[in-house]
Amino acid sequence: MLSYRHAFHAGNHADVLKHLVLVQLTRYLAQKDKPFWYIDTHAGAGIYALDTGYALKLGEYKEGIGRLWGRNDLPAALAGYVDLVRRVNPDRRLLAYPGSPYFALWTLREQDRLRLFELHTKDARLLQESFQDAGKQVIIEPTDGFAGLKALLPPPPRRAVVLIDPAYEDKHDYERVFHALKESLVRFPAGTYALWYPQLTRLDAHELPQRLKRLPAKSWLHVALRVREPAKDSFGMHGSGMFILNPPWTLHATLAEVMPYLVEVLGLDASAGFTLEQQED
Ligand code: SAM
């Protein structure tokens, strides 16, 4: 039984980092004419209202996209990401936030394909409804994304961006993501894989990036944004990270420009900071 609903958290600091990075990956692959696939193992509901229901309850977006919304000094990559959020907020008021499938759709071309997995029955239905006019470019499956990924690799065009974005409500997800990446590298070593993870005081969250560095990928990049000091009671996320296998060579420079800005604008206390490290080919 899945209890996590992304609607509570849509547009928070973790979504900002995740979707900013995602857009850099898909835009990079779209520079070459050859088609590619976007595979989203944990796709969510697709689009989220910020002015009603779940998002309003916690108001997490106010400390994420809400802090970037009115700024006119955004670094270029961040401005490109915020412009995409404007597509669902045409009158300039921040009322809705798009999920990862939309950021991908808007940065793919006609020849590219989206393969989306979402296990939560209600969220899968919402996702299917919002993409019902998308035609054959988008295939949505209401099934387990880890098994789905395995079945799709290697993808026919031999080019792909894979986003693995579990909620980690099930502690086995830390093991699952590690093994999914390990197996995926065997099936399709050239893929670009992006894994999101939460910064929490629990050991398996803390150890995950160190374990991922030992995977046999040609290159990797690790970026993390910490917005606050870890909570004394060990509850709650104090930041999040993205671990990318086979990243575009341009990504490090882009993030080196953006991350200090994000710390400045999204940081909640003096311990806010970022990590940016990579191993090149
Ligand atoms: N990727 C989305 C985005 O950025 O907009 C957010 C995804 S949310 C963090 C994680 C989602 O994974 C939830 O909607 C949850 O229902 C779903 N989920 C949990 N376990 C899953 C599984 N084994 N396969 C596919 N989806 C799963």
Side-chain angles (χ1 to χ4, degrees):
M1 169 78 179
L2 298 171
S3 55
Y4 178 91
R5 305 295 303 274
H6 194 65
F8 282 111
H9 312 288
N12 68 3
H13 60 82
D15 265 5
V16 169
L17 178 67
K18 181 202 311 171
H19 297 146
L20 166 76
V21 170
L22 173 60
V23 166
Q24 309 316 304
L25 303 182
T26 49
R27 286 200 158 138
Y28 183 82
L29 261 79
Q31 284 174 15
K32 271 196 191 161
D33 288 343
K34 278 186 73 183
F36 69 96
W37 279 21
Y38 169 71
I39 303 171
D40 197 329
T41 58
H42 297 70
I47 193 142
Y48 306 93
L50 297 179
D51 59 334
T52 53
Y54 296 120
L56 198 62
K57 206 162 175 176
L58 300 185
E60 287 188 14
Y61 75 92
K62 292 179 191 157
E63 291 177 351
I65 183 66
R67 288 186 172 208
L68 303 175
W69 195 241
R71 305 281 304 214
N72 55 14
D73 59 349
L74 298 168
L78 209 49
Y81 149 77
V82 172
D83 277 347
L84 293 174
V85 181
R86 293 196 198 289
R87 292 199 185 193
V88 290
N89 296 285
D91 74 357
R92 303 258 146 190
R93 285 171 60 219
L94 180 58
L95 299 174
Y97 188 78
S100 49
Y102 273 100
F103 286 103
L105 181 74
W106 293 328
T107 48
L108 266 57
R109 296 85 38 93
E110 250 181 19
Q111 66 266 39
D112 306 321
R113 296 284 175 268
L114 290 88
R115 303 294 301 257
L116 314 175
F117 297 90
E118 171 53 51
L119 197 54
H120 194 290
T121 319
K122 279 194 187 145
D123 282 354
R125 200 179 315 125
L126 290 168
L127 187 63
Q128 277 162 336
E129 279 166 19
S130 51
F131 277 85
Q132 63 190 357
D133 299 327
K136 67 176 172 63
Q137 188 181 22
V138 184
I139 296 179
I140 299 168
E141 292 179 57
T143 54
D144 174 42
F146 292 115
L149 175 63
K150 195 170 170 180
L152 289 182
L153 298 184
R158 296 293 196 273
R159 301 181 75 221
V161 173
V162 177
L163 175 66
I164 303 182
D165 180 25
Y168 299 90
E169 63 175 335
D170 179 343
K171 64 178 185 334
H172 299 299
D173 275 345
Y174 293 98
E175 266 323 292
R176 280 194 199 117
V177 295
F178 180 78
H179 287 288
L181 286 170
K182 196 173 165 192
E183 269 190 31
S184 299
L185 280 174
V186 174
R187 287 171 184 266
F188 179 42
T192 296
Y193 300 92
L195 173 78
W196 178 87
Y197 74 91
Q199 284 188 327
L200 301 164
T201 42
R202 55 180 300 155
L203 194 62
D204 34 15
H206 186 67
E207 284 179 348
L208 185 60
Q210 302 313 321
R211 295 182 71 199
L212 295 171
K213 287 176 190 173
R214 295 195 287 271
L215 285 173
K218 275 193 173 168
S219 58
W220 55 257
L221 182 148
H222 174 217
V223 60
L225 172 67
R226 169 170 157 148
V227 293
R228 64 162 72 89
E229 198 185 344
K232 301 260 181 308
D233 58 8
S234 309
F235 275 109
M237 181 167 73
H238 50 271
S240 71
M242 291 286 279
F243 201 96
I244 299 113
L245 302 176
N246 302 323
W249 67 273
T250 48
L251 186 60
H252 190 278
T254 303
L255 294 174
E257 189 193 355
V258 172
M259 294 310 292
Y261 182 95
L262 281 183
V263 171
E264 181 72 31
V265 178
L266 303 188
L268 297 171
D269 64 29
S271 67
F274 73 92
T275 303
L276 180 58
E277 49 184 353
Q278 69 173 341
Q279 181 184 281
E280 290 178 278
D281 197 352

